[in-house]
Each structure stands twice: as structure tokens, then as C-alpha cells.
């Protein structure tokens, strides 16, 4: 079989490009424009990259999908030697696709969901139309050796039809909780490994030997047909497995799909044995294929080890592999090879454009492929930032080179004229969608609505504030509130009229239409503690605006005056503490015994948020937010220099985060709030010894800590002597009531707890004694969990002969002095050592006596040796 030649444009002569080539020039200019917009979205103000959803869809739905529609049609016409669809219809499809893409981006980012859903339906419609055109060419074509390639394009279109429909359901907010997560996972898998990957695999059968300038592999046709059957079967199993939560069905499907990929890439490997890559395009495509294999294996492992409900969060490391490693390099490598032919201008100009597009390709290739693992792996923020710089810089360089080549082709004699109007309009519309999505300013504190019948008001939820906080409108005005959550955690808005938004994730928007304004309307966020932290607003008739400031509570009031007046209301707690009452049958205390640090330098743990009913005092049960179902959470222990890799999973019903005081990391990424069902990886190295607190990092932190979200990390000082027994005690405050009660939040902010606890239960160790033997040396690690009070830890009957506080010894064994109290401020930690002289019962207390009498009390039961 001779070399494969794919006719993709005029390459002979010096005349201007033929009309068909001119059409491809304009079409590829749109692809380059989408790439530029994706880069702009990634570099937009705020976090790098910008909102993940936006970057992904500008690139995949804009650049990649547009390129697939353009080039699959062209390849089909060239391979089948059948007449291509009319140019007018091709232009119409492309225009409709880009308009639909803009609708999806705008609808999800800023507009009502029907706009996004309609855009998704339009994308599906265009792709079905495109597939129908390809099928028509296949039907008209004579039998030939390349018909098998078109089957891949048709299968890819079928996958996009399913994936786009799932995307429309997501845009319409169909499904809550687990069902939403399953839709999300199925949507991502179908589009990435169906629409994108099937198109690429089918194209590589002919594009790869063309780029290498060698013969088509004799294995091509047989491998293509077998691989396509396996790939369709694999996706057919994976999709229902994800939607129904049947993990092992999904694993079976992905295993079949992996086999399909191996078969499909067999001709690629066989071709490599005869001809090594020698151009930038070839090396870039080869790198993309390698990342595709890595991404596919990673996907299989993640699906096998996570439930469908947890999968979207677990797949986060996979996205950079697919986007930056696979899809981006396929797109750039293909354009490096194809654009010079499309640009035309004769052999000399072809060589010039090819040289231009491949300028500096070894450095661009190395930078991009060094950056991919840095943006995929859990690395420190600065390293991740370096990864994004390495990934985006080559893309920016390619866009600049491609634009230069496009301008040169449009104006071969140096004349300059405007860029085609369609490209300009498309770029402007998409830029507007980008700007809306990445904007999230706080907005004005007060808004005056001018007289009129109706008015739409933009309301922003961010930084524990609602902006505008006061809306003044004429009586009888009909207002529409467009409410956008511009924060990293979930919020909602509920009004005293009963109107409300759904719970909004980051970047989500909802619209609330109000009845004619007849009086003052108050509003707030209903997430526990957010109203007390300042998330309130008020809508008032215009004459009442002067006195309309919403009541300040919590941190807002304290920030203005520096103090807060104590109220007399105690709240509807329904119970009081009696430390002497018996514990309920079946109660088990927190195990205070501390085990030695595990061997090895790296410690991998999973900590999961659980909402758990716990007995917090004798006979008193309360729903607590916990780490792993206990208060405090699990104690981590290691040595100086050890690395902790913590997988944090939010199994609760509201957003939570986690903050480890023992590590030095930028808080932006690992301490962010994650939604229910999501997970993140928190990696830190313990460079300093001490007893460290960890706690929930979600605002208001005082509420989350007070409701049980704290724990201990013990890092041994170098050469720490051995002792007979070690215990860990974390002292915390106890507040009775539901977290959504305003009175409870007020008492937290005023520092009026109902009691104090060691290890999650007031007076718990009065009923389950800590045990030791006379003459044994005992080390007690103590941490003050707060949120507002510390401790003066004291053991009745025995002085301390060793005291270690906040990373330093205050008293060492063998010193002539002794200590009676280990005093710690909130969040501080340390340990004290003592030797019990004889059998007996030795109380331990917070020597701030009101706290001891309100639960900060326990007993060491010491037996004879």
C-alpha cells in the first residue's frame, strides 16, 4: 500500500487560495480565536485558572468541538472522494454551533437556565445534522479503503448527542444530591472519551502516517473495525453504570474501552517502528497519545476506587491530563500540520508557514509536558502555578504564530483589512460571557431603584455579605432579583415573603420574582451561621430607606464597635448540664490513649465529614458536625519532616473545609470550602514539632469549631524520651442547640458556652476513667480547641516535672522545679509529664474553676503496680 495523501488545501502554484481553502482559512481562524479565549479565561483575574467550568467549556465546546466539525467533514470528503456538502450548509452549521456554544456559556454563567439548556439542545442538533451529512457522503461514496474512519465520526457524534443531553439536564438543575453527581460524571465521561477521543482515534489512522510521511500500516483497517466495536460497547456499559451508581459495571465498561484504545493504537505503534517523529506536529501528537493512555488508566483506577456520587470530585486530577495533556496537544499538533496547507500560497509559502508554526517547538513541547503533571498532582500552590505557566505559555505562543500566519495568508501583499465580521462577533459575545462569569465584585451596599413598573436587580452573595444590602424601591414596584453566588462555598437567599433561591454552588445564578412591594422585606442566607455572620439584606419602600440598614449581627457588629452587648436570651435549648448524671447505656468515650508515631516518612489518611448524633454530656445528645464521626476528629501523629497526605471528603450536607496548623501551605487551595460529595487532597510536611490543632476552615469558623469540627496533630520533638503511657486531651466548648439557631450563633460570638468538654464529652472521663499504674511515667498531650477559650490544665494531687508548650520545653525532667498548670490559649498545644506516687483517683481539670464545674473535668484511676 502506498503512502497516504490527504488533500486538505491548495499547495501548488502561487495564486491565491481557492474558495474552498479560503473557507477553511476562515473556519480555522475561529478555532484559533476559541483557543485564545480559553487562554484568556484561564488568565482572567482571580484564581489561576479561572472558574474551572468556564475554562473547560470554552476550550472543549468552543475550540475542540468546532475543530472536530470542520475537520471531520473535510477528512470524510477527502478519504471517501465524495463531494463535500455545500459550502453554504457548512457555514450555516458552523455558525449555528458557535451561537449555541455562546448560549451555553452565557446561560450557565450568567443567564437563566433555559438559555443554557436551549444552547445544549442546539449543540446536539448541529452535531446530529453534521453526522447526517457525513452519513450521506458515506452512502454516496464508492467502496474504498477508508470507509471505516467515518464510523468513528458517527459513533463520536452519537456520544456527543448523549453527553450534550446530559449537559442540558445539568444546566436545567435536574437531579439533586447523588443524582446530580452521577449526571455530572456521565456527562464528563461521555463527552471526553466519546465525542473527543473517538474522533481523535479515528482520525489518527490516516493522520498519523501522513504526519510521519510514511505508508499506512497494514493493520489499520482490521484494528479500526475491532476497536470501534469494543469502544462503543465499553461506553455502552460505562454510561448506565455511572448513572445508576453501579461501580463495577462502569469498571467493566472502561476496561473494554481500554482494550479498544490499545487495539486502535496498535497501527500507531507499528508505524513508529518504521518512521520516527521528526517534526513538531508529530512529536506533539505523540505526546498527546501518551497522555491519553495515562488519562485512560487513571480514569479506570478512579472509577474503580470511588462511588459514582464521589466521582466528579475524584476526577479533578484527571481533567488536566485530558485537557492539557491530550486534547490541547492533539488540537495544536493537528493545526501545526494542517494549517500550512489550508493557508495556501504555493510551495514556498507552504514551507514558510510550516516553519513559522513550528518555531521553537522543542521548547514549547517540553514546557507543556512538564506542566501537565504539575497541574494534575497535589502539589504546593506555587508549584501548581508554575505548572499553569508552563502549560499556557506554549499555547499563547502558538496562538501568536497562528494569527501571524493567518494574517499573512489573508494579505499576501501586506495589505491590512478587518478580520471577518463573524469571527469578531463570535469573539465579542464569548468575551462577554467570560467577563460575566469571572466577575464577582461585591456590588454596592445600597441600591436606589428609580421609579418604574419593573426592575431587575443584580444581587451578589460573597465574603459573608449580600450586596446590595439595602434595596430602596417605590411602593408597588415589581422587582426581579438575579442572585449570583460569587463565593467559593454554597449560599442561598430566602426572603421574608417566602420567595427563595435554591442552594447555589460557586458561580451559579437563580432568579427570584417578587410581588409588588408593599412593605419592608428582609432576606438572608439560610446556611447555618451565615445570617449571624452578616449575610442579610433588606428591601424597603423608598420613604423608609433612611432607617433601612439590616440589623448587624455577629462579626459585622463586632467589627464596627469592637464589643458586643451580651443578650439575656438563652435560646430554646430544652436542657441543662448535670455533670454528675449517668451516661446513657452504650455510650463509648473517645479513646484518649495515644499510639506511637507510625513508621515511614509519609502518612496517608482519609478524613470524612460526618453529621453524627453524639452524647456531649451525661444524658444529653446533640447532632454534631464531625471529622470521621467523633469529637475531636482522629489524632494524627508523626515526626519532624514527615509528610501527611490527607484526602478530605465532605460527607455532610453543607460546605466544609479543613485547616492543619502543623503545615506551612498557602491556604487558597487546600483550605477551600468544598461542597457535599466533593473531596480534596491536602498535603503538608510537618517541619516543626508540637501539639497542633486542625479545624474546619469554612466561615463562620467559630460555628463550625463549636459544633465539633476540630482535632489534634502530634509531631514528636526530636529525641522524645519514651514514657509508660501517653494520652491526648483536646478541650472544647459545648454549645447546646441547632447550628441554624440565631441564639446559638450569638452565644458563640459572645463566648457564652453551656459547658466545656475534654474529647467531646462534658465530664465524660468522670464516668470512663483514664487508667495508669503507680510509679508509671505518664505524658498528657493537651490542645485548646476553643473556639474562644483556652485551658489551665491541672492534675489534682501531682505536680508536673516536665512541661512542653508551643514547641519548647518550659521544664525538663530532672530540673529542681515543678509546674502545677499547663496554660494554653485557644489553638495552642503542648504536653505535661508526671509520675503518680501511689494508687488512687486523681482528678484532672481546667483550673479555671467555672469551666471545671461545667464539664472540663475527668479522673485518672491509678492502680497498684
Amino acid at each position: 500500500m502506498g503512502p497516504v495523501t490527504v488533500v486538505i488545501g491548495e499547495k501548488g502554484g502561487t495564486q491565491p487560495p481557492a474558495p474552498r481553502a479560503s473557507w477553511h482559512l476562515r473556519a480555522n481562524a475561529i478555532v484559533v480565536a476559541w483557543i485564545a479565549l480559553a487562554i484568556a479565561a484561564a488568565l482572567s483575574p482571580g484564581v489561576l485558572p479561572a472558574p474551572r467550568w468556564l475554562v473547560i467549556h470554552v476550550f472543549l465546546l468552543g475550540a475542540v468541538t468546532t475543530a472536530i466539525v470542520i475537520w471531520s467533514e473535510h477528512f470524510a470528503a477527502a478519504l471517501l472522494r465524495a463531494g463535500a456538502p455545500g459550502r453554504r450548509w457548512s457555514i450555516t452549521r458552523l455558525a449555528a454551533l458557535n451561537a449555541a456554544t455562546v448560549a451555553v456559556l452565557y446561560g450557565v454563567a450568567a443567564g437563566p437556565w433555559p438559555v443554557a439548556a436551549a444552547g445544549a439542545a442546539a449543540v446536539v442538533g448541529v452535531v446530529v445534522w453534521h453526522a447526517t451529512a457525513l452519513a450521506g457522503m458515506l452512502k454516496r461514496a464508492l467502496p474504498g479503503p477508508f470507509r471505516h474512519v467515518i464510523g468513528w465520526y458517527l459513533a463520536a457524534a452519537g456520544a456527543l448527542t448523549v453527553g450534550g443531553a446530559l449537559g442540558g439536564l445539568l444546566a436545567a438543575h435536574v437531579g439533586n444530591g447523588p443524582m446530580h453527581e452521577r449526571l455530572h460524571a456521565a456527562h464528563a465521561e461521555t463527552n471526553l472519551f466519546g465525542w473527543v477521543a473517538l474522533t481523535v482515534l479515528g482520525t489518527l489512522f490516516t493522520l498519523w502516517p501522513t504526519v510521519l510521511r510514511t505508508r499506512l500500516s497494514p493493520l489499520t483497517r482490521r484494528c479500526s473495525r475491532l476497536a470501534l466495536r469494543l469502544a462503543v460497547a465499553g461506553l455502552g456499559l460505562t454510561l448506565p453504570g455511572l448513572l445508576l451508581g453501579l461501580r463495577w459495571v462502569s469498571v467493566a465498561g472502561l476496561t473494554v474501552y481500554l482494550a479498544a484504545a490499545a487495539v486502535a493504537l496498535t497501527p500507531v505503534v507499528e508505524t513508529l517502528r518504521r518512521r520516527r517523529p521528526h517534526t513538531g506536529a508529530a512529536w506533539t501528537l505523540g505526546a498527546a497519545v501518551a497522555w491519553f493512555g495515562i488519562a485512560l488508566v487513571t480514569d479506570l483506577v478512579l472509577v474503580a476506587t470511588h462511588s459514582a456520587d464521589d466521582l466528579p470530585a475524584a476526577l479533578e486530577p484527571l481533567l488536566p491530563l485530558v485537557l492539557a495533556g491530550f486534547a490541547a496537544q492533539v488540537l495544536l499538533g493537528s493545526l501545526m500540520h494542517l494549517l500550512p496547507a489550508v493557508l495556501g500560497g504555493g510551495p514556498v509559502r507552504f514551507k514558510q508557514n510550516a516553519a513559522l508554526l513550528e518555531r521553537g517547538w522543542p521548547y514549547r513541547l517540553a514546557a507543556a509536558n512538564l506542566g501537565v503533571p504539575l497541574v494534575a498532582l497535589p502539589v504546593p500552590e506555587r508549584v501548581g502555578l508554575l505548572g499553569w505557566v508552563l502549560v499556557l505559555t506554549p499555547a499563547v505562543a502558538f496562538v501568536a504564530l497562528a494569527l501571524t500566519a493567518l494574517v499573512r495568508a489573508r494579505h499576501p501583499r501586506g495589505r491590512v483589512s478587518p478580520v471577518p465580521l463573524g469571527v469578531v462577533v463570535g469573539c465579542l459575545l464569548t468575551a462577554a460571557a467570560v467577563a460575566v462569569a469571572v466577575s464577582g465584585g461585591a456590588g454596592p451596599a445600597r441600591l436606589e431603584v428609580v421609579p418604574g413598573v419593573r426592575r431587575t436587580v443584580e444581587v451578589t452573595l460573597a465574603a459573608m455579605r449580600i450586596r446590595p444590602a439595602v434595596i430602596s424601591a417605590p411602593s408597588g414596584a415589581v422587582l426581579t432579583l438575579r442572585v449570583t453566588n460569587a463565593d467559593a462555598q454554597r449560599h442561598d437567599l430566602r426572603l421574608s415573603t417566602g420567595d427563595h433561591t435554591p442552594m447555589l454552588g460557586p458561580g451559579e445564578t437563580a432568579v427570584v420574582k417578587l410581588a409588588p412591594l408593599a412593605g419592608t422585606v428582609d432576606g438572608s442566607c439560610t446556611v447555618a451561621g451565615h445570617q449571624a455572620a452578616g449575610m442579610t439584606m433588606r428591601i424597603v419602600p423608598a420613604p423608609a430607606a433612611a432607617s433601612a440598614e439590616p440589623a448587624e449581627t455577629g462579626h459585622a457588629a463586632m467589627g464596627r464597635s469592637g464589643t458586643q452587648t451580651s443578650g439575656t436570651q438563652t435560646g430554646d435549648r430544652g436542657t441543662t448540664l448535670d455533670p454528675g448524671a449517668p451516661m446513657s447505656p452504650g455510650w463509648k468515650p473517645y479513646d484518649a490513649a495515644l499510639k506511637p508515631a507510625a513508621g515511614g516518612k509519609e502518612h496517608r489518611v482519609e478524613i470524612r465529614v460526618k453529621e453524627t448524633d453524639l452524647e456531649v454530656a451525661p444524658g444529653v445528645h446533640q447532632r454534631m458536625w464531625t471529622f470521621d464521626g467523633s469529637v475531636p476528629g482522629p489524632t494524627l501523629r508523626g515526626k519532624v519532616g514527615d509528610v501527611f497526605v490527607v484526602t478530605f471528603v465532605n460527607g455532610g450536607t453543607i460546605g466544609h473545609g479543613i485547616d492543619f496548623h502543623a503545615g506551612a501551605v498557602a491556604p487558597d487551595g487546600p483550605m477551600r470550602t468544598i461542597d457535599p460529595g466533593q473531596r480534596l487532597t491536602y498535603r503538608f510536611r510537618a517541619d516543626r514539632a508540637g501539639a497542633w490543632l486542625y479545624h474546619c476552615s469554612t466561615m463562620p469558623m467559630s460555628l463550625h469549631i463549636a459544633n465539633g469540627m476540630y482535632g489534634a496533630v502530634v509531631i514528636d520533638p526530636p529525641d522524645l524520651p519514651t514514657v509508660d503511657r501517653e494520652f491526648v486531651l483536646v478541650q472544647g466548648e459545648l454549645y447546646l442547640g441547632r447550628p441554624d439557631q440565631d441564639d446559638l450563633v450569638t452565644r458563640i460570638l459572645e463566648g457564652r458556652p453551656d459547658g466545656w468538654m475534654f474529647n467531646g464529652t462534658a465530664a465524660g472521663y468522670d464516668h470512663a476513667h483514664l487508667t495508669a499504674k503507680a510509679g508509671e511515667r505518664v505524658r498528657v498531650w493537651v490542645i485548646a480547641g476553643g473556639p474562644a477559650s483556652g485551658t489551665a490544665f491541672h492534675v489534682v494531687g501531682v505536680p508536673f516535672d516536665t512541661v512542653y508548650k508551643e514547641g519548647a520545653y518550659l521544664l525538663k525532667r530532672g530540673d529542681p522545679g515543678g509546674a502545677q498548670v499547663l496554660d494554653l490559649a485557644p489553638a495552642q498545644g503542648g504536653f505535661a509529664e508526671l509520675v503518680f506516687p501511689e494508687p488512687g483517683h486523681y482528678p484532672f481539670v481546667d483550673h479555671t474553676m467555672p469551666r471545671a464545674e461545667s464539664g472540663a473535668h475527668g479522673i485518672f484511676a491509678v492502680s497498684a503496680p
Side-chain angles (χ1 to χ4, degrees):
M1 184 178 293
V4 175
T5 302
V6 179
V7 180
I8 53 176
E10 298 291 336
K11 293 169 60 175
T14 58
Q15 71 277 16
R20 190 72 189 175
S22 179
W23 140 246
H24 273 85
L25 187 151
R26 290 183 173 89
N28 282 280
I30 297 175
V31 176
V32 174
W34 278 114
I35 297 173
L37 285 169
I39 296 170
L43 294 173
S44 58
V47 181
L48 180 66
R52 179 177 292 249
W53 180 92
L54 185 70
V55 177
I56 292 171
H57 285 75
V58 169
F59 178 64
L60 288 181
L61 191 55
V64 174
T65 297
T66 300
I68 287 175
V69 170
I70 293 169
W71 285 106
S72 60
E73 178 184 304
H74 180 77
F75 285 148
L79 295 172
L80 296 175
R81 300 192 180 278
R87 178 180 172 187
R88 180 182 302 174
W89 294 118
S90 297
I91 294 174
T92 303
R93 274 195 294 273
L94 193 60
L97 176 64
N98 281 267
T101 299
V102 171
V104 171
L105 295 174
Y106 178 79
V108 174
W113 69 261
V115 174
V123 169
V124 170
V126 170
V127 171
V128 170
W129 184 12
H130 167 71
T132 303
L134 297 184
M137 283 192 283
L138 185 63
K139 185 177 181 180
R140 294 192 303 270
L142 295 174
F146 303 116
R147 293 172 65 91
H148 61 90
V149 173
I150 312 306
W152 288 87
Y153 296 158
L154 296 178
L160 189 277
T161 301
V162 177
L166 295 175
L169 294 175
L170 289 170
H173 307 292
V174 173
N176 293 312
M179 190 60 207
H180 180 86
E181 300 304 318
R182 294 175 186 177
L183 284 172
H184 187 183
H187 166 72
E189 293 278 339
T190 306
N191 286 340
L192 291 174
F193 293 106
W195 172 239
V196 177
L198 291 182
T199 301
V200 171
L201 290 174
T203 302
L204 283 175
F205 288 118
T206 54
L207 180 62
W208 181 244
T210 303
V211 171
L212 293 184
R213 298 189 178 95
T214 187
R215 309 187 303 276
L216 196 71
S217 170
L219 303 173
T220 297
R221 194 182 310 179
R222 183 171 53 189
C223 287
S224 172
R225 290 172 175 170
L226 174 59
L228 180 58
R229 294 190 188 99
L230 290 173
V232 171
L235 287 174
L237 282 173
T238 302
L239 179 60
L242 292 173
L243 290 175
L244 299 176
L246 304 174
R247 181 193 306 179
W248 296 111
V249 173
S250 301
V251 170
L254 285 175
T255 303
V256 174
Y257 186 94
L258 182 61
V263 173
L265 294 175
T266 299
V268 173
V269 176
E270 193 275 335
T271 304
L272 274 176
R273 293 174 180 172
R274 291 184 278 105
R275 178 77 166 177
R276 294 288 185 268
H278 56 284
T279 64
W283 277 103
T284 304
L285 286 171
V289 170
W291 282 116
F292 173 67
I294 294 171
L296 191 54
V297 172
T298 303
D299 185 43
L300 178 60
V301 171
L302 291 174
V303 172
T305 55
H306 295 83
S307 69
D309 301 345
D310 294 337
L311 194 56
L315 289 177
E316 287 193 8
L318 178 68
L319 290 174
L321 302 182
V322 176
L323 268 66
F326 172 53
Q329 294 199 103
V330 163
L331 183 59
L332 298 184
S334 300
L335 289 175
M336 287 167 65
H337 176 75
L338 298 170
L339 270 182
V342 171
L343 295 174
V348 174
R349 181 57 59 87
F350 174 85
K351 292 180 180 180
Q352 290 175 344
N353 286 330
L356 174 65
L357 293 176
E358 295 211 346
R359 184 173 297 172
W361 71 262
Y363 305 104
R364 288 152 47 193
L365 181 71
N369 287 279
L370 284 173
V372 170
L374 298 184
V375 299
L377 296 174
V379 296
E381 185 184 19
R382 291 185 178 181
V383 179
L385 180 62
L386 172 62
W388 280 109
V389 171
L390 291 172
V391 166
L392 293 175
T393 299
V396 172
F398 175 81
V399 169
L401 295 173
L403 289 175
T404 301
L406 288 167
V407 171
R408 177 188 292 174
R410 290 284 295 169
H411 312 290
R413 295 182 176 84
R415 292 179 289 105
V416 178
S417 62
V419 178
L421 179 61
V423 175
V424 173
V425 173
C427 291
L428 289 176
L429 288 175
T430 307
V434 171
V436 171
V438 300
S439 65
R446 179 189 293 271
L447 178 67
E448 302 285 343
V449 176
V450 297
V453 179
R454 295 178 183 272
R455 173 68 187 267
T456 298
V457 178
E458 300 291 338
V459 177
T460 302
L461 313 177
M464 289 297 157
R465 293 293 181 269
I466 301 176
R467 289 292 183 265
V470 177
I471 300 173
S472 172
S475 295
V478 178
L479 300 180
T480 297
L481 306 183
R482 188 187 303 276
V483 184
T484 300
N485 180 9
D487 211 351
Q489 58 178 304
R490 291 157 64 89
H491 297 293
D492 68 349
L493 176 61
R494 180 174 289 274
L495 302 173
S496 56
T497 59
D499 299 297
H500 63 91
T501 70
M503 192 63 65
L504 301 175
E508 293 183 343
T509 297
V511 175
V512 179
K513 294 183 179 179
L514 306 183
L517 185 63
T520 298
V521 177
D522 288 312
S524 64
C525 177
T526 65
V527 176
H530 288 196
Q531 178 180 356
M535 293 197 74
T536 60
M537 71 174 302
R538 179 166 290 175
I539 306 171
V540 296
S547 59
E549 292 293 339
E552 289 186 298
T553 59
H555 294 303
M558 294 179 70
R560 284 165 56 92
S561 64
T563 61
Q564 188 155 356
T565 304
S566 298
T568 58
Q569 184 179 4
T570 60
D572 185 15
R573 287 166 270 168
T575 187
T576 56
L577 294 182
D578 180 4
M583 303 299 295
S584 300
W587 170 77
K588 293 182 179 180
Y590 185 95
D591 186 2
L594 184 61
K595 298 177 181 178
K601 298 295 290 182
E602 183 174 278
H603 309 278
R604 291 184 173 269
V605 297
E606 179 178 286
I607 295 179
R608 182 179 292 267
V609 174
K610 296 181 180 179
E611 296 181 2
T612 308
D613 290 319
L614 296 176
E615 189 165 1
V616 294
V620 179
H621 293 80
Q622 179 150 312
R623 187 77 167 174
M624 303 292 285
W625 300 336
T626 74
F627 294 123
D628 274 8
S630 65
V631 178
T635 298
L636 309 184
R637 189 173 193 181
K639 298 180 179 180
V640 173
D642 285 3
V643 173
F644 291 82
V645 181
V646 180
T647 300
F648 175 57
V649 183
N650 186 355
T653 58
I654 65 171
H656 292 291
I658 195 165
D659 172 7
F660 288 93
H661 291 191
V665 297
D668 307 61
M671 299 182 197
R672 70 183 185 274
T673 296
I674 60 174
D675 287 338
Q678 293 186 335
R679 64 178 58 215
L680 61 78
T681 299
Y682 192 129
R683 185 180 187 275
F684 67 91
R685 187 174 66 188
D687 289 325
R688 304 284 181 180
W692 304 89
L693 180 70
Y694 71 86
H695 60 86
C696 183
S697 59
T698 296
M699 291 294 289
M701 290 187 202
S702 57
L703 174 64
H704 289 246
I705 295 173
N707 211 50
M709 302 197 75
Y710 55 84
V713 178
V714 173
I715 306 301
D716 293 349
D719 302 320
L720 181 67
T722 58
V723 293
D724 296 300
R725 298 177 191 264
E726 288 186 274
F727 300 96
V728 60
L729 297 173
V730 184
Q731 183 172 321
E733 299 166 8
L734 172 60
Y735 292 87
L736 299 177
R738 299 191 315 272
D740 58 350
Q741 289 180 307
D742 290 343
D743 171 64
L744 182 140
V745 177
T746 300
R747 286 185 286 115
I748 292 173
L749 296 175
E750 294 175 353
R752 296 189 289 112
D754 297 288
W756 280 264
M757 308 178 289
F758 282 120
N759 290 351
T761 307
Y765 294 117
D766 282 7
H767 304 271
H769 302 161
L770 301 183
T771 59
K773 293 183 179 180
E776 289 184 332
R777 174 164 290 276
V778 175
R779 178 182 295 133
V780 185
W781 296 83
V782 183
I783 296 173
S789 58
T791 185
F793 181 72
H794 170 75
V795 177
V796 178
V798 188
F800 304 142
D801 63 16
T802 303
V803 175
Y804 178 90
K805 173 183 175 182
E806 286 294 280
Y809 283 96
L810 304 182
L811 179 67
K812 281 193 172 184
R813 190 187 313 176
D815 290 347
Q820 54 200 314
V821 161
L822 170 58
D823 60 314
L824 302 170
Q828 287 189 326
F831 68 75
E833 293 181 12
L834 65 160
V835 176
F836 293 106
E838 57 185 350
H841 291 80
Y842 296 79
F844 59 88
V845 299
D846 178 347
H847 214 283
T848 309
M849 279 299 147
R851 300 176 190 167
E853 294 161 2
S854 297
H857 188 282
I859 293 175
F860 280 109
V862 179
S863 60

